[in-house]
């Protein structure tokens, strides 16, 4: 499908370039990330682990996201829209883009569900209804 390490590196670099310039997401990330090269390296390892089952990523993304005050579905939906836009711009294979996009939606749903449970005490079964089915 063409989802090799170089593709993942390009996806992460391009996507987080958009995030940094984004009016909604840029300030959220800027307040938490002091060293962008390190963050990008971690995100590349994360996506290689997600897409290649490389096992090279260690960490707890849930804790990082729970600590962001006020983050809700609007921020995740916007994140996904930027992610989808980036995938379309660099698409090599439609099936690959669909696979990567579906993984991104599952991750977003999992994070938002965890936030609602741990931070807000809510027990929504599926926080982002419809987004994991797109």
């Amino acid at each position: 499908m063409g989802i090799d390490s170089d593709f993942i590196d390009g996806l992460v670099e391009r996507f987080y370039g958009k995030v940094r310039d984004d009016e909604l997401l840029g300030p959220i990330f800027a307040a938490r990330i002091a060293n962008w090269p390190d963050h990008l390296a971690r995100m590349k390892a994360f996506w290689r682990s997600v897409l290649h089952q490389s096992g090279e990523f260690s960490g707890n993304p849930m804790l990082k996201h729970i600590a962001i005050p006020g983050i809700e579905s609007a921020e995740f939906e916007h994140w996904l829209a930027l992610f989808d836009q980036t995938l379309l711009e660099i698409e090599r294979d439609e099936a690959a883009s669909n696979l990567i996009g579906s993984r991104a939606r599952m991750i977003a749903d999992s994070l938002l569900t965890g936030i609602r449970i741990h931070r807000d005490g809510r027990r929504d079964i599926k926080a982002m209804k419809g987004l994991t089915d797109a």
Side-chain angles (χ1 to χ4, degrees), residues 88-110:
L88 283 174
E89 291 170 0
I90 64 170
E91 184 172 86
R92 293 181 185 170
D93 179 278
E94 186 177 351
S97 293
N98 290 338
L99 172 69
I100 297 166
S102 70
R103 297 274 171 88
R105 283 173 176 68
M106 286 188 295
I107 291 163
D109 180 64
S110 175

Side-chain angles (χ1 to χ4, degrees), residues 46-56 103:
F46 173 80
W47 281 103
R48 283 191 300 270
S49 291
V50 168
L51 297 169
H52 296 160
Q53 293 81 41
S54 68
E56 66 189 279
R103 297 274 171 88

Side-chain angles (χ1 to χ4, degrees), residues 33-125:
I33 298 172
N35 186 327
W36 274 96
D38 283 354
H39 181 71
L40 293 174
R42 286 187 53 74
M43 292 302 93
K44 291 171 184 179
F46 173 80
W47 281 103
R48 283 191 300 270
S49 291
V50 168
L51 297 169
H52 296 160
Q53 293 81 41
S54 68
E56 66 189 279
F57 179 82
S58 64
N60 190 335
M62 184 65 70
L63 290 178
K64 299 285 187 187
H65 289 81
I66 289 170
I68 302 171
I71 193 169
E72 281 294 337
S73 60
E75 288 79 11
F76 281 95
E77 289 168 5
H78 190 70
W79 186 95
L80 284 168
L82 284 178
F83 195 84
D84 287 342
Q85 178 186 28
T86 305
L87 276 174
L88 283 174
E89 291 170 0
I90 64 170
E91 184 172 86
R92 293 181 185 170
D93 179 278
E94 186 177 351
S97 293
N98 290 338
L99 172 69
I100 297 166
S102 70
R103 297 274 171 88
R105 283 173 176 68
M106 286 188 295
I107 291 163
D109 180 64
S110 175
L111 289 171
L112 186 55
T113 299
I115 287 167
R116 289 187 170 169
I117 290 169
H118 296 289
R119 185 190 69 195
D120 304 336
R122 292 170 58 182
R123 300 286 183 219
D124 298 271
I125 293 173

